[in-house]
Amino acid sequence: MNVETRSERLSHLDWPFLEDQHRTLARALDAWATEHVAHSHDGNVDAECRALVRSLGDAGWLCHAVGGTGFGGAADVIDTRAICVIRETLARHSGLADFAFAMQGLGSGAISLAGAPAQKERYLPRVARGDAIAAFALSEPDAGSDVAALRCTARIEGDHAVLDGEKTWISNGGIADFYVVFARSDEAPGSRGLSAFIVDAGTPGFDVAERIAVIAPHPLARLRFDGCRIPLSQRIGAGGEGFKLAMRTLDVFRTSVAAAALGFARRALDEALLRATTRKMFNQTLADFQLTQAKLAQMATTLDSAALLTYRAAWQRDHGRNVTKEAAMAKLAATEGAQQIIDAALQMWGGLGVVSEQPVERLYREIRALRIYEGATEVQQLIIAREMLKALRP
Ligand SMILES: Cc1cc2nc3c(=O)[nH]c(=O)nc-3n(C[C@H](O)[C@H](O)[C@H](O)COP(=O)(O)OP(=O)(O)OC[C@H]3O[C@@H](n4cnc5c(N)ncnc54)[C@H](O)[C@@H]3O)c2cc1C
């Protein structure tokens, strides 16, 4: 039976947060992904990621990940709802396709937001076409949630910066053509002393120190900088603006992490419905039991609640409003909710649910990191409470 008819999976596109252009985009991408993107992967994630970036670029989807119509972007400012419907749709079809799209945006986001015209000209059109792969290098072994603790240094020597230190958990590490690297340039103490630099792969003094294998495989690496000289023309924005730029970049993409979680959850609900209505037991089907119906009801309610929060945040951002609290709520609700939905779907599949490369088994692994990166759940909780308490102050 066709899973696509099961959960009225595109009905949320009619919600008033979206416009016709988003509906058209989602439907066209869904049709494209059905034809071009496989849910299972053959094991060589580097090759698969490169191929996905190539085909997403060739088909024109990557232009939504880049800001600036003069530089290959679909719009001058990245449309949050567009990247949300794209990530939700791709995640439903393939975690790796969603990853490939998202990293092109996150990796080039600082350039879209604050790059000099020459930097935009050099990097953004290639990102949008899928000719260059991008990476965002902020985290370090001792600076994850606590970004301001980062120690990688950028010493200014004449018209160059010299980078020394390490970055870790860098997605696309090892296959990226360029990395946006945040380092301590010491214009001021703490977070006001960081700057962002574009480092091309192959620059002397820059190495991929270690590839990292994770539960849902994708290219990931620890990077090492050892006297790596970068012309100051590769610095994005002014010295000391790196922290703000990193936060602005994450702010654009945080709501889209929630959207990716929705895509995984939607696929899990489809799989749950498929199994519940076809698995025969005790002279009926699994779906005939009220315990199963209660589970399905909870899954659908959790999913719609998270989707409403996600598209509220995206709508608010596209209307120029502050979304610090709303984006944090969306990421928290969607990633935690998706984990519960996927777990319930896997349970319905019984033993088959834990067989390698079954869709629910894959989703079970794919969702996990979303509760950690771009601000762990606990960090989102702190942001929400801080914003609420701030609003109470006179
Ligand atoms: C698959 C994957 C891809 C990634 N890709 C990138 C990338 O492309 N670029 C990049 O720069 N980074 C990337 N990261 C890094 C990611 O952003 C960090 O892992 C994340 O910020 C958490 O940092 P940490 O791992 O050092 O955990 P820690 O900072 O040590 O936090 C550990 C745990 O502590 C808890 N915690 C944190 N703060 C608080 C608090 N205030 N109160 C209570 N509990 C708290 C949370 O549960 C958190 O998970 C990636 C990570 C993963 C797993």
Side-chain angles (χ1 to χ4, degrees):
M1 219 172 292
N2 185 356
V3 291
E4 294 186 2
T5 57
R6 296 250 170 200
S7 67
E8 301 167 293
R9 66 188 166 77
L10 297 181
S11 63
H12 64 291
L13 294 176
D14 294 331
W15 289 354
F17 292 127
L18 297 175
E19 293 170 23
D20 282 344
Q21 74 210 47
H22 304 117
R23 298 182 182 103
T24 306
L25 177 64
R27 292 197 169 98
L29 177 59
D30 190 52
W32 180 85
T34 302
E35 196 176 329
H36 292 95
V37 173
H39 184 73
S40 62
H41 307 293
D42 70 9
N44 184 346
V45 286
D46 286 6
E48 274 191 73
C49 268
R50 285 198 184 94
L52 280 163
V53 170
R54 171 84 280 137
S55 60
L56 287 164
D58 285 348
W61 307 115
L62 289 179
C63 64
H64 295 279
V66 162
T69 48
F71 306 103
D76 278 331
V77 175
I78 291 174
D79 182 317
T80 318
R81 288 169 294 172
I83 58 172
C84 282
V85 295
I86 288 173
R87 290 200 63 183
E88 181 176 346
T89 307
L90 289 176
R92 197 184 156 278
H93 286 273
S94 152
L96 215 48
D98 165 60
F99 168 84
F101 174 86
M103 282 316 304
Q104 289 298 89
L106 187 66
S108 65
I111 306 174
S112 288
L113 286 169
Q119 293 170 342
K120 291 185 175 183
E121 187 60 58
R122 178 159 176 219
Y123 291 98
L124 296 184
R126 289 192 290 141
V127 170
R129 287 194 304 266
D131 291 343
I133 294 180
F136 175 84
L138 179 65
S139 304
E140 296 180 6
D142 293 320
S145 305
D146 184 6
V147 174
L150 74 78
R151 289 207 297 235
C152 182
T153 56
R155 196 175 66 254
I156 307 302
E157 283 184 1
D159 56 2
H160 280 73
V162 183
L163 269 56
D164 283 289
E166 273 194 359
K167 294 285 165 188
T168 194
W169 313 121
I170 307 310
S171 297
N172 277 343
I175 68 163
D177 294 288
F178 70 92
Y179 299 74
V180 169
V181 179
F182 297 85
R184 186 162 295 288
S185 43
D186 271 341
E187 285 80 2
S191 63
R192 286 177 295 124
L194 308 182
S195 302
F197 301 90
I198 312 169
V199 180
D200 290 324
T203 304
F206 164 52
D207 278 312
V208 173
E210 177 194 9
R211 295 297 298 268
I212 305 169
V214 279
I215 55 174
H218 69 257
L220 194 69
R222 182 164 60 85
L223 313 178
R224 188 170 37 224
F225 300 90
D226 187 6
C228 176
R229 286 172 67 80
I230 306 293
L232 278 183
S233 57
Q234 292 290 83
R235 184 175 65 195
I236 309 173
E241 288 186 353
F243 183 79
K244 252 194 270 171
L245 192 50
M247 294 306 117
R248 283 175 64 203
T249 308
L250 290 170
D251 207 43
V252 174
F253 292 96
R254 184 164 295 127
T255 309
S256 79
V257 179
L262 296 180
F264 291 138
R266 240 175 247 293
R267 176 64 183 257
L269 184 53
D270 286 341
E271 297 294 335
L273 287 164
L274 173 65
R275 187 64 179 165
T277 53
T278 53
R279 175 64 170 162
K280 300 272 185 263
M281 59 172 78
F282 306 111
N283 298 321
Q284 38 189 352
T285 63
L286 184 57
D288 292 324
F289 294 99
Q290 287 187 339
L291 280 174
T292 308
Q293 291 165 19
K295 266 190 204 153
L296 291 170
Q298 187 57 53
M299 291 160 90
T301 306
T302 301
L303 178 53
D304 270 10
S305 316
L308 285 164
L309 286 174
T310 302
Y311 285 104
R312 174 184 72 166
W315 178 88
Q316 272 192 215
R317 189 162 208 293
D318 287 340
H319 286 76
R321 302 193 192 172
N322 183 305
V323 293
T324 306
K325 185 178 74 180
E326 289 77 8
M329 285 179 165
K331 182 175 187 284
L332 168 69
T335 57
E336 293 291 330
Q339 183 86 63
Q340 291 162 13
I341 291 166
I342 292 165
D343 187 55
L346 187 150
Q347 189 75 6
M348 282 188 210
W349 276 80
L352 278 177
V354 292
V355 172
S356 292
E357 294 301 319
Q358 282 290 323
V360 286
E361 182 273 339
R362 195 169 179 92
L363 292 164
Y364 193 77
R365 291 183 286 109
E366 278 175 327
I367 188 58
R368 193 60 186 86
L370 278 67
R371 293 167 57 204
I372 297 169
Y373 63 57
E374 296 195 34
T377 292
E378 291 79 359
V379 173
Q380 306 307 328
Q381 288 172 321
L382 291 174
I383 292 171
I384 296 163
R386 188 191 63 206
E387 292 297 304
M388 285 164 62
L389 295 171
K390 200 163 74 180
L392 293 177
R393 274 186 222 127

